Amino acid sequence: MIDKAICLCIDKRREFWSFLIKQFQELNIPLQLFIAGNGEILPKEQYDHIDTNNICDSWSYGSGEIRKNNYNAYLCHQKMIQIAKNEKLNNVLLLEDDAVILTRFKILIPTILQKLNETQWNTCYLGYHHTQKEQNEQLYKQYKYINIVRETNI
């Protein structure tokens, strides 16, 4: 069972939020929106994280190029994990607001959780990587923005 989902929601992408909320209501999984952005779109008290321009000099995203958005996402993910720790959640799903939970998620997650309960684990990555776009062309036609929960052999 997933105790809670915490979703990184970018203030500029509010159009995704209602669809995401609906998906998690249908799954009967509690959802917390973790709102982040530049702090200028919403009232400041609604933000869980306001982007920083003070980026670590050694921070880069593979190419050696320093990317402010990636660094702020990293900071947000740290804060989301801290929320899960503070709430003493056993199983938490971290995702971003462009996620689309596919039908097979409902089928696969009980099996995945059962397998995880049989072993010691810290992190189980259910995700999609943008370089695999060509492998998911049909899904791209169906969804404009997507972060796929893939089938995985555990």
Side-chain angles (χ1 to χ4, degrees):
M1 166 183 227
I2 295 173
D3 300 320
K4 183 185 219 178
I6 304 174
C7 181
L8 174 54
C9 294
I10 306 303
D11 60 0
K12 294 183 242 180
R13 300 194 307 209
R14 287 176 290 166
E15 69 274 11
F16 294 147
W17 300 359
S18 60
F19 179 64
L20 191 68
I21 291 167
K22 181 180 179 220
Q23 289 182 91
F24 280 87
Q25 286 173 339
E26 290 172 2
L27 291 168
N28 200 27
I29 296 173
L31 174 67
Q32 177 179 343
L33 303 182
F34 183 96
I35 300 173
N38 64 11
E40 297 174 4
I41 295 174
L42 302 170
K44 297 259 191 258
E45 63 272 5
Q46 290 185 15
Y47 286 89
D48 296 290
H49 174 85
I50 295 178
D51 292 345
T52 181
N53 290 318
N54 298 326
I55 300 171
C56 174
D57 290 339
S58 62
W59 179 263
S60 66
Y61 193 69
S63 66
E65 177 185 346
I66 295 175
R67 297 184 181 172
K68 179 182 136 184
N69 291 346
N70 295 103
Y71 184 69
N72 279 294
Y74 164 75
L75 295 176
C76 289
H77 286 111
Q78 282 188 321
K79 290 178 180 180
M80 293 162 64
I81 291 168
Q82 191 60 53
I83 289 169
K85 288 174 75 174
N86 292 347
E87 294 182 15
K88 296 179 176 38
L89 300 174
N90 290 317
N91 296 315
V92 62
L93 176 62
L94 303 178
L95 64 155
E96 295 186 8
D97 60 8
D98 57 353
V100 174
I101 305 301
L102 302 177
T103 305
R104 65 182 180 211
F105 179 84
K106 296 176 195 176
I107 298 164
L108 290 173
I109 201 64
T111 303
I112 291 169
L113 291 174
Q114 177 187 351
K115 296 286 186 184
L116 291 174
N117 285 333
E118 295 170 4
T119 186
Q120 289 186 347
W121 64 282
N122 293 333
T123 303
C124 175
Y125 179 74
L126 307 170
Y128 173 79
H129 194 272
H130 293 285
T131 60
Q132 296 172 347
K133 180 178 177 180
E134 61 280 350
Q135 297 172 6
N136 294 288
E137 288 181 19
Q138 288 183 323
L139 292 171
Y140 264 78
K141 290 175 187 171
Q142 189 175 4
Y143 301 103
K144 182 176 178 186
Y145 301 97
I146 193 161
N147 195 1
I148 302 170
V149 177
R150 291 187 298 165
E151 289 185 43
T152 308
N153 291 328
I154 295 182

